[in-house]
Amino acid sequence: MTSEEPRHAGEGERPAPDAEQLALIRGPARSAPRERARPRTWRGAPLAESLPVARVLVDKGLVHLDRFFDYAVPAAMADEARPGVRVRVRFGAGERGGRREGGGLVGGYIVERRPDSDYPGVLAPLAQVLSTEQVLTPALLRLCRAVADRYAGALADVVQLAVPPRMARAERKESPPPAAPPAEPAPGTWSRFPQGPGFLRSLARGGAPRAVWTALPGPQWPTELATAMAAALSSGRGALAVLPDGRSAARVDDALTALLGSGHHVLLTADAGPEARYRRWLALSRGSVRAVVGTRAAMFAPVPHLGLVAVWDDGDAAHSEERAPLPHAREVLMLRSAQENTGFLLGAHSCTVEAAQLVESGWARSLAADRETVRAAAPLIRTVDDTEQARDAAARTARLPSLAWRTARDALERGPVLVQVPRRGYVPRLACERCREPARCGHCHGPLASPAADRAPDCAWCGRPEPHWSCPGCGCTRLRATVVGARRTAEELGRAFPAVPVRTSGRDHVLPSVPDRPALVVSTPGAEPVVEEGPGYAAALLLDGWALLGRPDLRAGEEALRRWLNAAALVRPAGEGGTVLVIAEQGLRPVQALVRWDPPGHARRELADRAVLGLPPVSRMAAVSGSPEAVEGLLRTATLPGDAEVLGPVPVAGAGGPRRPGGPPPGERWDRALIRVPPGSGAALAAALKSAQAARLARRQGPPVRVRIDPPDIG
DNA sequence: AGCACGCCGACT
DNA sequence: GTCGGCGTGCTC
């Protein structure tokens, strides 16, 4: 702490110790009022000779402080105080009384060195340069700025997500020079995709192709993803891949190692620990390593001269950052791809509506295999309609359809059988009694919910009652609550095969893999073990159709299909006896898409529907929530774009429900309003909400409001 | 957000 | 004449 000096009594009353220096930093012919001209922590230390002003991003995530502050650079720090380094500065209410030191020390980053400042007062000096490591590079700063704007958040909040905390020990270690770029990789199994080799060639030649990749079922995708990264590396550029969890990241990391050895890439996941993580981050930042595979925080990894950004399975909820301003990895990587002119690869077994929109709009090209190739790689999909079971709740949980039993029995002779069961905790809402289509509001297409069993339903978005609902699909006027739960079916299954070992994998106990031997593997979605070595599961039983499809969430169908496809992709091809049995009504759109193994087709149809109904991502939405007065106040003061449409506010289920972080405090009522704008007005909406939020906080007009762009739970 | 300033009423 | 309520505005 070179600048932590004791306070001199009466210092404030004296003229500045070095009037010439202060004139220099105050800028040309500016006569600041005398009381403002008193330096605060100033000890008369000389200033840096060139560029004596440092523009600093103060590390406080307050929306109304979302700007830079200028500080004087003492001569002693002239060399160290480079753009991008971490600093400590005094920040807070000034010492206008001349008696106190300024506010406390806070952290920050130098974003720029300048010859002068436009601040009319006297600049406080930098208190300390914490480290000479230039962590917030201009490219990273620009990305953080774009992400903050996109999500109506504060720059400092985004920087906190992007730059890991400092670990001094990790900084002391030197990083080796980078390895020479590897040779251009052979396409390998990318040859199964007509556009695959061309995509790789473009990357290898320094191009920036953008693709939405529908991966084929089977275990090849990690190697294919790694091959695309290697192609970008072979052009002398860097590559980055974001995966939804540590397990899948490790698989791609292994594939890269198999392809290139260990000198070219790092794995950036939470389980490495903070110090190792920072060391690897520094290896990238210093240009010692050019490729990174990781979970969502890796989307900000400081790869210089990036050639490819990739994201796997963008429908997985883990790609949504849960800290403010809640950015999504796919969106961040899209911004990054545009800013740094890189290739873009969005891969998955399924296809989100956002991915379909990227193809539809022409922003990305589709990278999919021919129908015959898909059919040869996919397992046989069979469906069991459960309408018969639905008549009797007891039968539904206790009895297994005989086809499921036979499928499992036959498959267990050849290998392991995967049983996918739902996770607990789905919110029951209303659906058509006959066709089970989730019931939607006739006015805004929000989901209907029943406040009490014997009352008419309300819209959960706009609050309008809907006493005379009728199903647009089948004309039925009767509603039913959605049913959840099929776990006992799996237990029943275990009892039906007493001779076979039953293994379970779930949120608490994730089983990474199982041997290629007969066993029942019961797993919740997302925790399915892969089969070691062999051709994959002999069969899969997908039992969670009801729980998923009954949800009124906009993404219910897409999410059901995504989970089914991820499980079904672990099953061996139909030609080798692989069978998937899904318990769900055959006529449902996601079920048909699974049977035909056509996830892009499903996403395209969903996209067309949403365009008609004005739902995201065809329109952009924002959620504003907080106490009723706060929400009302923000909506009143905000100057929204002219084409914005406000839905609600309506009360949010608070007390009694599961307590979510950042949600309403127990016992208090919270409201939520949704604002939707047509395509093209998203940026204006974010900007309007951000400035209204800033004004509100600055003037302290009542309790805080939460603003969320692209709310995930609008249905 | 903190934090300090300042303008007003109540008390010594 | 002095203390302290909180309404208002700034932080380089």
Side-chain angles (χ1 to χ4, degrees), chain A residues 98-320:
Chain A
R99 322 194 98 245
R100 279 169 164 268
E101 292 269 307
L105 280 174
V106 297
Y109 305 85
I110 295 181
V111 296
E112 191 188 354
R113 283 282 296 271
R114 301 169 55 90
D116 53 20
S117 168
D118 48 18
Y119 181 63
V122 172
L123 301 184
L126 297 173
Q128 187 189 5
V129 174
L130 279 175
S131 145
T132 55
E133 208 74 51
Q134 292 170 273
V135 289
L136 188 59
T137 57
L140 191 50
L141 177 64
R142 199 158 68 108
L143 175 64
C144 292
R145 177 77 270 165
V147 171
D149 290 344
R150 165 76 169 73
Y151 287 95
L155 176 62
D157 278 341
V158 181
V159 169
Q160 218 158 63
L161 300 176
V163 180
R166 176 170 185 249
M167 300 279 144
R169 212 174 330 164
E171 283 185 358
R172 278 198 288 275
K173 273 200 182 161
E174 269 183 38
S175 302
E184 182 176 342
T189 51
W190 270 117
S191 304
R192 302 180 298 168
F193 300 83
Q195 319 287 329
F199 183 76
L200 298 181
R201 213 172 306 123
S202 170
L203 288 173
R205 290 183 185 164
R210 298 189 290 252
V212 169
W213 165 39
T214 307
L216 286 163
Q220 294 92 350
W221 68 265
T223 299
E224 286 158 358
L225 189 47
T227 305
M229 296 177 76
L233 289 175
S234 75
S235 73
R237 300 176 295 170
L240 180 158
V242 176
L243 293 104
D245 53 68
R247 261 195 324 149
S248 51
R251 292 179 66 192
V252 176
D253 181 64
D254 289 346
L256 260 177
T257 306
L259 226 50
L260 303 176
S262 56
H264 290 277
H265 66 284
V266 289
L267 177 64
L268 221 49
T269 57
D271 27 74
E275 195 187 319
R277 198 185 164 103
Y278 187 49
R279 192 165 54 240
R280 294 172 191 181
W281 193 90
L282 283 177
L284 292 162
S285 163
R286 294 169 173 177
S288 173
V289 166
R290 313 193 76 115
V292 54
V293 176
T295 44
R296 66 170 180 256
M299 64 192 175
F300 290 109
V303 181
H305 194 30
L306 198 52
L308 174 70
V309 295
V311 55
W312 173 256
D313 201 13
D314 64 314
D316 194 309
H319 283 303
S320 278

Side-chain angles (χ1 to χ4, degrees), chain A residues 492-526:
Chain A
E492 183 73 13
L493 194 62
R495 263 178 262 132
F497 298 99
V500 181
V502 178
R503 316 205 51 190
T504 60
S505 180
R507 260 183 84 63
D508 317 325
H509 296 295
V510 176
L511 208 57
S513 66
V514 293
D516 184 20
R517 277 199 298 276
L520 280 165
V521 181
V522 179
S523 170
T524 56

Side-chain angles (χ1 to χ4, degrees), chain A residues 220-428:
Chain A
Q220 294 92 350
W221 68 265
T223 299
E224 286 158 358
L225 189 47
T227 305
M229 296 177 76
L233 289 175
S234 75
S235 73
R237 300 176 295 170
L240 180 158
V242 176
L243 293 104
D245 53 68
R247 261 195 324 149
S248 51
R251 292 179 66 192
V252 176
D253 181 64
D254 289 346
L256 260 177
T257 306
L259 226 50
L260 303 176
S262 56
H264 290 277
H265 66 284
V266 289
L267 177 64
L268 221 49
T269 57
D271 27 74
E275 195 187 319
R277 198 185 164 103
Y278 187 49
R279 192 165 54 240
R280 294 172 191 181
W281 193 90
L282 283 177
L284 292 162
S285 163
R286 294 169 173 177
S288 173
V289 166
R290 313 193 76 115
V292 54
V293 176
T295 44
R296 66 170 180 256
M299 64 192 175
F300 290 109
V303 181
H305 194 30
L306 198 52
L308 174 70
V309 295
V311 55
W312 173 256
D313 201 13
D314 64 314
D316 194 309
H319 283 303
S320 278
E321 173 62 56
E322 74 241 311
R323 290 181 289 164
L326 314 163
H328 190 284
R330 177 191 57 241
E331 305 298 316
V332 171
L333 291 182
M334 282 171 60
L335 289 169
R336 195 162 184 184
S337 164
Q339 288 196 336
E340 302 178 40
N341 189 31
T342 75
F344 177 91
L345 180 61
L346 191 169
H349 286 121
S350 53
C351 184
T352 59
V353 278
E354 285 84 357
Q357 195 182 31
L358 294 184
V359 174
E360 199 109 315
S361 71
W363 192 84
R365 289 179 60 183
S366 168
L367 212 54
D370 296 334
R371 288 308 309 168
E372 306 88 84
T373 314
V374 173
R375 235 172 285 130
L380 174 71
I381 313 280
R382 310 187 67 175
T383 63
V384 177
D385 200 312
D386 66 347
T387 42
E388 194 179 317
Q389 293 182 309
R391 287 201 197 109
D392 178 348
R396 188 165 58 253
T397 50
R399 210 196 320 133
L400 195 70
S402 63
L403 180 59
W405 187 83
R406 288 202 310 272
T407 303
R409 183 198 57 195
D410 294 351
L412 281 169
E413 314 230 319
R414 289 169 285 123
V417 171
L418 178 66
V419 183
Q420 190 185 53
V421 298
R423 240 183 271 160
R424 309 203 283 116
Y426 296 113
V427 190

